[in-house]
Every structure is written in C-alpha cells, then in structure tokens.
Amino acid sequence: MPSTEPVLRRTLTLRPVVLAGLVIAQFSSGLAAQASTSRLLYAMGRDSVLPHKVFGYVHPRFRTPAFGILLTGVVGLVALRLDVATSTSFINFGAFTAFTFVNLSVIALYLRERRAGRKLGAVPYVLAPVIGAAVVLWLLTKLDSHAITLGLIWLGIGVVYLTYLTRLFRLPPPEMEFTDEEPEAATRQG
C-alpha cells in the first residue's frame, strides 16, 4: 500500500500559499466594499435620502465622502468580531428581504395594471411571485436567530425613517439620482 506521507507533505506546504491568497482576497473584497458603501452613502446624502449635512459631506482636501468612509470602517471593525455564519446570515437577511419585496412589487404591478384595464398573465405576475416570496420567506426562517433579530430591528428603523421622510407617507419618498458627476463646490464644506 502506497504511503500518503508525500501527499500530506505537499498539502502542508501549500497551506501558507492558500492562506496568503485568502488574506489578499479578503483584503481586496473589504476595500471594494468600503469604497462602494461609502460612495453609496454619499449619493444618498447628496440626494437627501439620508441627512445631507452628514452623508453629503465631501472632504475639501481629499474630495472623498469622509463620513461615509469613517462609518463604513467602524462597521467593518465591529463586524470583525462576528463569526462567518452570523455575518453571512446578516447579509442574507438583507438580500432575502429585498427579494421578498421584489416579488410583492410584481403582484402590486399586476393589480395596478388590472385596475387600469390592461391584461397581464396571472401565472407570471401572481403565481410565480407568490411562489418566489414563499420560498424566500422560508429561507429567511432558516437564518441565524441573531441575524433575524438584528435584521428586523434594522428594517423597523428603516420603516420609521421612511415614515419621517414622507411625513407619515403624505409625501413621495425621496429618490436617488444615479450619476457619476463630480461633487460641486456647494456640496463640499470646509
């Protein structure tokens, strides 16, 4: 019977290479998340979806969304304390919630179009979204309990904030403009 020792030795010598690759990948992913999240927070502040004075602030020297970068960094440092399963559940909670609302929005579109006298197929506009929402809600129940609790709290905060922004839903919700324009001098504060 052949010895497994040479295979084990080769495997052990690859461990540092794999670990180095993992560290580089995680670092790169973290930088991309930091940059994109801080930029999204800036865009939301610029368009007054979030408080403009805080989130719309651009550092005068570096021309970067300073508060968004700082906030994202603090959240990232706090997230370092989470285990992989819990942090993955937090991310999945947000995705599953969004997918549920997408399915419900298709049903709302169907009802609105039907009231307007236009005919849409019940299978793609009602049955498929109902099945999709049911599957996603079932998947939501399989997440980590801490993620569900924190996710529901975060969702509740969002609904309260939306209620405030729309003055008890009497005003339309603010919309973001997706542009790549440079920040104007008026939005930069010293």
Side-chain angles (χ1 to χ4, degrees), residues 84-146:
V84 174
T86 302
S87 61
T88 303
S89 287
F90 285 142
I91 293 167
N92 286 338
F93 180 89
F96 291 159
T97 303
F99 295 149
T100 300
F101 282 110
V102 166
N103 282 304
L104 295 176
S105 296
V106 172
I107 296 169
L109 173 69
Y110 173 81
L111 295 173
R112 187 173 52 232
E113 292 296 311
R114 191 169 167 167
R115 275 194 300 270
R118 291 184 274 284
K119 298 277 184 186
L120 297 174
V123 171
Y125 287 92
V126 178
L127 184 60
V130 165
I131 292 170
V135 169
V136 172
L137 287 172
W138 175 77
L139 289 171
L140 258 169
T141 65
K142 303 301 178 193
L143 294 178
D144 180 76
S145 63
H146 298 316

Side-chain angles (χ1 to χ4, degrees), residues 121-184:
V123 171
Y125 287 92
V126 178
L127 184 60
V130 165
I131 292 170
V135 169
V136 172
L137 287 172
W138 175 77
L139 289 171
L140 258 169
T141 65
K142 303 301 178 193
L143 294 178
D144 180 76
S145 63
H146 298 316
I148 292 173
T149 302
L150 190 61
L152 287 173
I153 290 169
W154 191 248
L155 181 63
I157 291 169
V159 169
V160 168
Y161 185 63
L162 180 63
T163 304
Y164 165 77
L165 280 179
T166 59
R167 307 294 186 255
L168 297 174
F169 300 103
R170 289 188 297 250
L171 300 174
E175 293 185 19
M176 289 181 53
E177 293 180 28
F178 294 100
T179 62
D180 289 334
E181 296 175 7
E182 286 292 317
E184 296 187 25

Side-chain angles (χ1 to χ4, degrees), residues 2-79:
S3 171
T4 59
E5 190 174 311
V7 173
L8 183 59
R9 199 173 316 125
R10 281 194 305 255
T11 303
L12 291 177
T13 58
L14 287 177
R15 287 179 95 181
V17 173
V18 172
L19 182 60
L22 177 66
V23 169
I24 291 169
Q26 289 288 344
F27 186 74
S28 300
S29 175
L31 281 177
Q34 174 96 14
S36 61
T37 302
S38 61
R39 182 70 181 159
L40 178 63
L41 291 172
Y42 163 73
M44 292 174 79
R46 177 195 64 202
D47 296 340
S48 297
V49 175
L50 292 174
H52 178 76
K53 284 191 174 214
V54 176
F55 290 95
Y57 172 76
V58 175
H59 192 277
R61 180 174 167 209
F62 301 114
R63 297 179 49 109
T64 57
F67 182 77
I69 291 171
L70 181 65
L71 179 64
T72 305
V74 168
V75 170
L77 288 173
V78 170

